[in-house]
Amino acid sequence: CKGKPKYFVSHAWRQTFSVANREWRGGLAQALLHHADTHKLDVASTHVWLDVFCVNQHLWSPHGGLLAFAFEPLRNAMLDCDEVLMFFETWDDPAPLTRVWCLDELRNAMLLGKSVQVIMPPQALDSFRKAAAEDPPAMLQDIERVVGRIDIEQASSTFRSDRTFVLHTVEETLGAKPLNSFCCEIVRKA
């Protein structure tokens, strides 16, 4: 099924895509279905853009260099989407906040004026709500602990060249500190 995507989905590739028959855990597919259900979206006509299916970030051009750097597929895909959804497999250790590509996707969202929502599988959302209800002050401390770890300059990537490229691009456009602040606000707001 192809169509104009409503959502650009930002996720760390190491996160789980789908988990069936597990009450204690869910993956990206479950988070997207839960988001569609809570927003009363028609699943059959709602399209998402997932880079893992569209862009091989590690494919080299025959002319040298990574193709993902040559034509900015992430930014160009985001242009046509209404919103950016950032997938957290867990609320207390969200992998995307430690990956340079994911933080760069948030940079693009900021520059393009796209709203960003955090999505989680229902199991992670239930865990979050339970922890918040049991001890709200401790939950605020946990959120600040997560927020305190956001730092594009410390984020990782599979290849050093990706990290170098992304950090250079961030510095050329808005800088690490403003990007870190923007990312922190997204997590606090979510």
Side-chain angles (χ1 to χ4, degrees):
C1 297
K2 288 193 218 176
K4 181 183 178 299
K6 179 173 181 61
Y7 299 109
F8 179 100
V9 180
S10 180
H11 62 102
W13 284 16
R14 72 174 184 234
Q15 293 179 112
T16 307
F17 183 77
S18 179
V19 179
N21 302 321
R22 305 272 178 138
E23 291 185 22
W24 56 271
R25 186 173 176 187
L28 175 59
Q30 287 78 23
L32 288 169
L33 289 172
H34 180 71
H35 178 78
D37 190 41
T38 57
H39 288 82
K40 311 240 184 310
L41 299 171
D42 177 17
V43 175
S45 65
T46 302
H47 296 87
V48 298
W49 196 90
L50 289 166
D51 63 346
V52 73
F53 296 124
C54 303
V55 176
N56 181 342
Q57 292 175 338
H58 307 294
L59 185 62
W60 286 88
S61 163
H63 307 290
L66 291 173
L67 285 175
F69 298 158
F71 63 98
E72 295 190 76
L74 303 177
R75 180 191 170 282
N76 291 334
M78 196 179 288
L79 276 169
D80 289 334
C81 296
D82 295 342
E83 286 184 87
V84 175
L85 301 178
M86 179 162 269
F87 171 59
F88 288 2
E89 189 170 9
T90 63
W91 63 267
D92 56 342
D93 190 21
L97 300 179
T98 66
R99 305 294 293 169
V100 292
W101 280 113
C102 295
L103 295 175
D104 188 55
E105 289 166 356
L106 292 179
R107 178 189 66 84
N108 278 303
M110 180 180 176
L111 293 173
L112 296 171
K114 302 292 180 176
S115 72
V116 179
Q117 288 187 49
V118 171
I119 61 169
M120 293 185 278
Q123 299 87 334
L125 197 53
D126 290 345
S127 168
F128 176 82
R129 288 180 177 142
K130 181 179 177 188
E134 288 175 0
D135 192 350
M139 174 55 76
L140 290 175
Q141 288 178 340
D142 287 342
I143 291 169
E144 287 306 312
R145 178 185 50 78
V146 169
V147 166
R149 292 190 326 228
I150 297 172
D151 185 352
I152 184 76
E153 294 175 313
Q154 299 301 314
S156 63
S157 65
T158 303
F159 297 110
R160 183 179 296 151
S161 59
D162 287 15
R163 188 173 180 284
T164 301
F165 174 82
V166 170
L167 290 175
H168 177 74
T169 304
V170 166
E171 285 306 321
E172 280 187 339
T173 54
L174 58 106
K177 287 185 181 182
L179 176 60
N180 291 340
S181 294
F182 176 70
C183 295
C184 291
E185 287 311 307
I186 288 170
V187 174
R188 285 186 184 111
K189 183 180 174 187

